[in-house]
């Protein structure tokens, strides 16, 4: 299953292009509820192509979600995944600080703003 | 008006008109036929009367001629021998009287002198010329005459013949038969009608008869009559003077109705002297006709009554099912579908079709209503269970709410208990400090502390993600850990932050919590050489640290590169750095949480760092307390009536 949809959000993984897009407002309760999202993020890292995480349309992500993203980046760093890029939006408040933290966690991560 | 009446009335009216026309027509026709019959009969009776008179005429004349031709009579008359004449004719007269009513048997000698009255021999020699015109005429003209004559002796038929002897006119002989009640009675016996003879009163005066003694009317007198009460219709008589044609009248006498034929009565010389009336009693016919008429009317009434009964029965039979149908439709209108229309629906006429239609309509309506009722019941049941469910949920929600409220209360108490006292805040000699913390309704995890240890001042500010008790607990743990490390004189930035991170990370793993927090720790060291200077070392990632120099120069120290969120990853050592700032007198340092910059108004517009900067620039010369108040007022003014969604924390430090 490469898509997860909720009341206010949609997450889709396009395997051929190794691009995972997260849209909407993600406010799941705790790491347990984020498990499917974590699984999808792990799958993204297992793809042979250089993975891209597109967050430009993710308007809100709660602290659990940020923790999930941090773990994802640390996993990528551990696996030494090459060519990971994250696309964010400077107009979304939570992203400016959090995405920069992610990049600090993995300096090889290509962070681009849209 | 009921349908029965509507149908019955025109039929009855029609029948009445038709029957009435029939009766009128038949009655009229019957009358007309009867009238014709009566007229014909009266004509025949008139002829019979003429015939009788003619017969009498012939009889009287024949007798007179026979006697006049008798030679003995001729001789005796020539001789004027009365005795011989009487002897000669008396035996014959006696024989005749036995069979006939001979009123007159008289011999005259010219001009009109009575010679011998055979019927009354003792009287003779008198002159008759003044009142016996027929005698005068016969003697004068020497010829036979006959006809009606009114004379002193009465009214009757007279036959008179001249007697000749030796070619000489020697006299006349006359036979007279009276016409009176006797004659009319005979006619009545023979022909059945009633008869009357009316004479002109003028003529009647001549006669000596008084047998009827009737009063005159319109110049007429009843001479004889077969009626018990003879009469004259004066008006009709006056309307038809003598010398008129025959005519008919209808007259009523003694409770009877007569058709009366008036025939002119003429004397021997042709002059009318009165009328003969033939009276045909039509009372029986009238009675019969009236009876028939009554019968016809009775029959009409009977027919109409039967018709009314028949139509009523038919209409009632046809309409009988309508009554229950009407009642049923009224019942259906009330919502009662119980009436059974099946018995009426079997009929093949229009009413049967109506009943069928109503039956199926009633059935459908009933189904619909029952279905609706069922649905309503079902829905009511559903609503009921939904309501119960809502109440359960509500109670659960209340319980939850209660639990959350309790948790929030605890969190708030933790926050309030941990906040440094105003005494602690004001006890730093070289710094003017003002601190403000306002928890949101759902207590956030704001943290701040001001610690003094062996001449050092440590100021911490942080923000735990999320809200509520768990965030409060993380804050509490953070405060404890910081205080412990400061008390242990741990001043190395990396060790301080790493140890803090490790402690909290491990604890949060144990708690299965995914909280983390931003945390900046500021160490202040007064300058031993300059009382109005100090050094501020900043470590850890949080919001920017704002510096407003005494001359109004504004500095924004980004703390992103000074650390990592605490509790997010196990080791943050590699990410920790320190920034050092020298403070001079009048310099202001401002620390805050995102509750300040992200305070939103009704249109979701954030207070923002620009507004914060402007407020600070406007008030940086004031005391720390005044600056703090100015910022909080500005934030309050911005959010207006909106509720606080996050804790507001603000620390203002001023180098004295």
């Amino acid at each position: 299953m490469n898509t997860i949809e909720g009341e206010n959000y949609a997450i889709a993984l396009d395997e051929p292009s190794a691009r995972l897009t997260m849209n909407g407002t993600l406010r799941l309760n705790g790491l347990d509820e984020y498990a499917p999202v974590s699984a999808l993020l792990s799958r993204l890292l297992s793809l042979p192509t250089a993975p891209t995480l597109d967050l430009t349309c993710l308007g809100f992500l709660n602290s659990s979600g940020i923790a999930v993203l941090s773990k994802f980046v640390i996993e990528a760093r551990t696996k030494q995944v090459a060519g990971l890029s994250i696309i964010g939006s400077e107009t979304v408040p939570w992203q400016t600080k959090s995405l920069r933290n992610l990049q600090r966690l993995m300096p090889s991560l290509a962070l681009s703003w849209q | 008006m009921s349908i029965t009446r509507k149908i019955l009335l025109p039929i009855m009216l029609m029948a009445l008109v038709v029957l009435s026309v029939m009766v009128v027509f038949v009655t009229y026709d019957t009358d007309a036929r009867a009238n014709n019959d009566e007229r014909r009969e009266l004509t025949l009776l008139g002829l019979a009367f003429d015939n009788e008179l003619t017969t009498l005429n012939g009889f009287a004349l024949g007798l007179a001629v026979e006697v006049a031709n008798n030679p003995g009579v001729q001789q005796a008359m020539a001789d004027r021998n009365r005795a011989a004449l009487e002897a000669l004719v008396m035996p014959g007269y006696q024989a005749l009287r036995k069979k006939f009513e001979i009123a007159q048997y008289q011999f005259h000698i010219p001009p009109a002198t009575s010679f011998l009255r055979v019927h009354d021999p003792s009287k003779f020699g008198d002159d008759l010329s003044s009142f016996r015109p027929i005698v005068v005429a016969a003697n004068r003209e020497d010829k036979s005459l006959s006809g009606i004559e009114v004379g002193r002796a009465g009214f009757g038929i007279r036959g008179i013949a001249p007697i000749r002897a030796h070619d000489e006119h020697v006299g006349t002989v006359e036979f007279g038969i009276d016409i009176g009640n006797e004659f009319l009675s005979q006619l009545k016996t023979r022909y059945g009608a009633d008869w009357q003879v009316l004479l002109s009163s003028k003529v009647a005066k001549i006669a000596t008869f008084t047998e009827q003694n009737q009063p005159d009317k319109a110049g007429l007198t009843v001479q004889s009559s077969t009626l018990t009460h003879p009469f004259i219709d004066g008006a009709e008589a006056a309307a038809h003077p003598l010398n008129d044609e025959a005519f008919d009248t209808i007259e009523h006498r003694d409770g009877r109705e007569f058709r009366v034929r008036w025939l002119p009565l003429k004397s021997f010389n042709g002059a009318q002297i009165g009328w003969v009336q033939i009276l045909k009693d039509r009372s029986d016919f009238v009675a019969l006709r009236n009876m028939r008429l009554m019968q016809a009317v009775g029959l009409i009434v009977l027919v109409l009554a039967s018709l009314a009964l028949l139509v009523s029965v038919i209409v009632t039979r046809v309409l009988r099912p309508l009554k229950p149908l009407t009642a049923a439709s009224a019942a259906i209108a009330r919502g009662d579908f119980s009436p059974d229309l099946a018995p009426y629906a079997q009929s093949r006429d229009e009413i049967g079709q109506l009943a069928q239609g109503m039956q199926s309509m009633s059935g459908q309506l009933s189904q619909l209503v029952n279905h609706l009722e069922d649905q309503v019941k079902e829905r009511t049941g559903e609503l009921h269970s939904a309501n119960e469910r809502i109440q359960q949920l509500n109670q659960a929600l209340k319980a939850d709410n209660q639990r959350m409220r309790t948790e929030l209360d605890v969190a708030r108490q933790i926050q309030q208990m941990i906040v440094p006292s105003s005494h602690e805040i004001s006890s730093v000699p070289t710094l003017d400090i003002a601190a403000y913390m306002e928890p949101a309704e759902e207590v956030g995890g704001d943290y701040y502390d001001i610690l003094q240890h062996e001449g050092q001042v440590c100021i911490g500010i942080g923000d735990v993600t999320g809200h509520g008790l768990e965030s409060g607990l993380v804050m509490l743990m953070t405060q404890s850990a910081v205080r412990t490390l400061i008390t242990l004189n741990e001043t190395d930035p990396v060790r301080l932050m790493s140890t803090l991170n490790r402690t909290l990370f491990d604890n949060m793993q144990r708690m299965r919590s995914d909280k983390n927090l931003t945390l900046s720790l500021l160490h202040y060291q007064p300058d031993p050489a300059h009382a109005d200077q100090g050094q501020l070392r900043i470590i850890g990632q949080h919001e920017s640290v704002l510096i407003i120099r005494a001359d109004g120069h504004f500095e924004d120290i980004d703390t992103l590169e000074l650390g990592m969120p605490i509790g997010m990853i196990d080791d943050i050592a590699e990410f920790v750095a320190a920034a050092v700032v020298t403070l001079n007198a009048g310099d202001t340092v401002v620390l805050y949480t995102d509750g300040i910059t992200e305070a939103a108004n009704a249109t979701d517009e954030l207070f923002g760092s620009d507004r914060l900067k402007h407020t600070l620039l406007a008030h940086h010369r004031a005391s720390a307390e005044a600056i703090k108040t100015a910022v909080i007022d500005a934030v309050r003014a911005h959010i207006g009536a909106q509720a606080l969604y996050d804790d507001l924390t603000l620390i203002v430090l001023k180098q004295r």
Side-chain angles (χ1 to χ4, degrees), chain A residues 28-32 34 63-67 70-71 74 77 93 96-98 100-102 104-107, chain B residues 465-466 509 512-516 518 541-543 558 560-565 568-569 574-576 598:
Chain A
L28 297 175
N29 205 356
L31 295 175
D32 291 346
Y34 271 104
S63 58
S64 298
I66 292 171
S70 303
K71 287 184 171 61
I74 290 165
R77 187 178 65 175
T96 44
K97 195 184 289 175
S98 299
R100 276 166 68 192
N101 275 338
L102 294 181
R104 288 173 67 220
L105 287 174
M106 185 181 178
Chain B
T465 56
Q509 290 295 107
R512 292 192 55 73
S513 171
D514 51 9
K515 302 276 180 203
N516 59 68
T518 56
Q541 189 184 90
H542 182 64
E543 305 296 326
D558 189 348
L560 189 81
E561 306 285 344
L562 305 182
M564 263 284 160
M568 193 169 74
I569 54 177
E574 60 178 299
F575 304 111
V576 177
E598 289 176 15

Side-chain angles (χ1 to χ4, degrees), chain B residues 3-19:
Chain B
I3 291 177
T4 310
R5 238 184 257 178
K6 277 183 187 166
I7 293 173
L8 197 52
L9 214 68
I11 290 178
M12 298 288 283
L13 220 63
M14 189 80 151
L16 184 67
V17 167
V18 167
L19 289 174

Side-chain angles (χ1 to χ4, degrees), chain A:
Chain A
M1 201 60 172
N2 289 337
T3 56
I4 300 171
E5 283 187 19
E7 199 177 337
N8 296 312
Y9 64 91
I11 302 166
L13 169 62
D14 182 48
E15 291 195 9
S17 62
R19 188 187 186 92
L20 194 146
T21 311
M22 298 170 82
N23 291 333
T25 300
L26 207 41
R27 229 188 259 280
L28 297 175
N29 205 356
L31 295 175
D32 291 346
E33 286 191 15
Y34 271 104
V37 181
S38 300
L40 209 58
L41 285 165
S42 294
R43 188 175 176 79
L44 174 67
L45 293 181
S46 69
L47 294 173
T49 324
T52 302
L53 183 59
D54 183 354
L55 304 173
T56 41
C57 291
L58 189 61
F60 182 82
L61 187 68
N62 63 3
S63 58
S64 298
I66 292 171
V68 167
L69 284 190
S70 303
K71 287 184 171 61
F72 160 76
V73 172
I74 290 165
E75 185 186 349
R77 187 178 65 175
T78 308
K79 286 184 177 172
Q80 298 186 329
V81 173
L84 172 62
S85 70
I86 294 181
I87 309 169
S89 167
E90 276 179 316
T91 61
V92 180
W94 73 270
Q95 292 187 7
T96 44
K97 195 184 289 175
S98 299
L99 297 192
R100 276 166 68 192
N101 275 338
L102 294 181
Q103 196 181 28
R104 288 173 67 220
L105 287 174
M106 185 181 178
S108 67
L109 185 157
L111 178 60
S112 60
W113 300 101
Q114 238 177 28

Side-chain angles (χ1 to χ4, degrees), chain B residues 166-287:
Chain B
H166 315 294
D167 289 338
E168 290 273 327
H169 178 85
V170 290
T172 52
V173 62
E174 173 193 20
F175 278 87
I177 298 162
D178 278 358
I179 295 173
N181 288 335
E182 183 116 351
F183 174 68
L184 294 186
S185 292
Q186 282 173 7
L187 287 180
K188 182 175 179 175
T189 306
R190 214 168 292 156
Y191 300 110
D194 277 296
W195 305 76
Q196 278 198 136
V197 173
L198 309 181
L199 288 179
S200 158
S201 297
K202 258 191 271 176
V203 176
K205 267 182 200 156
I206 300 165
T208 53
F209 60 83
T210 53
E211 54 188 80
Q212 296 295 339
N213 196 24
Q214 290 297 319
D216 288 358
K217 257 189 197 169
L220 293 175
T221 302
V222 178
Q223 188 270 329
S224 55
S225 173
T226 55
L227 297 174
T228 318
H229 299 101
F231 66 92
I232 300 170
D233 187 330
E236 291 289 348
H240 298 79
L242 295 182
N243 299 319
D244 206 344
E245 299 286 312
F247 65 96
D248 284 359
T249 57
I250 298 290
E251 292 177 15
H252 298 84
R253 276 297 176 274
D254 300 335
R256 305 188 75 76
E257 183 177 312
F258 297 94
R259 181 180 291 278
V260 183
R261 170 71 49 94
W262 299 57
L263 293 172
L265 183 66
K266 292 184 176 173
S267 71
F268 71 97
N269 55 8
Q272 186 178 354
I273 54 168
W275 301 94
V276 174
Q277 287 187 321
I278 308 167
L279 300 103
K280 178 66 189 164
D281 186 349
R282 62 201 307 270
S283 299
D284 288 347
F285 162 73
V286 170

Side-chain angles (χ1 to χ4, degrees), chain B residues 9 11 19 38 85 165 177 180 213 239 287 344 368 388 390 468 516 526 556 574 577 579 594:
Chain B
L9 214 68
I11 290 178
L19 289 174
E38 280 171 4
L85 185 62
I177 298 162
N213 196 24
Y344 312 105
L368 201 65
E388 276 184 350
I390 285 169
N516 59 68
D556 181 328
E574 60 178 299
D594 60 0

Side-chain angles (χ1 to χ4, degrees), chain B residues 591-645:
Chain B
L591 309 174
Y592 63 91
T593 56
D594 60 0
I596 298 282
T597 48
E598 289 176 15
N601 67 4
T603 56
D604 261 345
E605 193 186 344
L606 306 184
F607 182 68
S609 48
D610 284 351
R611 278 196 188 81
L612 178 59
K613 180 181 173 181
H614 288 131
T615 310
L616 292 172
L617 286 173
H619 297 90
H620 75 99
R621 286 180 214 284
S623 66
E625 184 65 28
I627 295 169
K628 178 203 81 177
T629 306
V631 171
I632 297 303
D633 285 353
V635 171
R636 284 268 162 222
H638 178 71
I639 66 174
Q642 289 296 108
L644 270 185
Y645 288 111

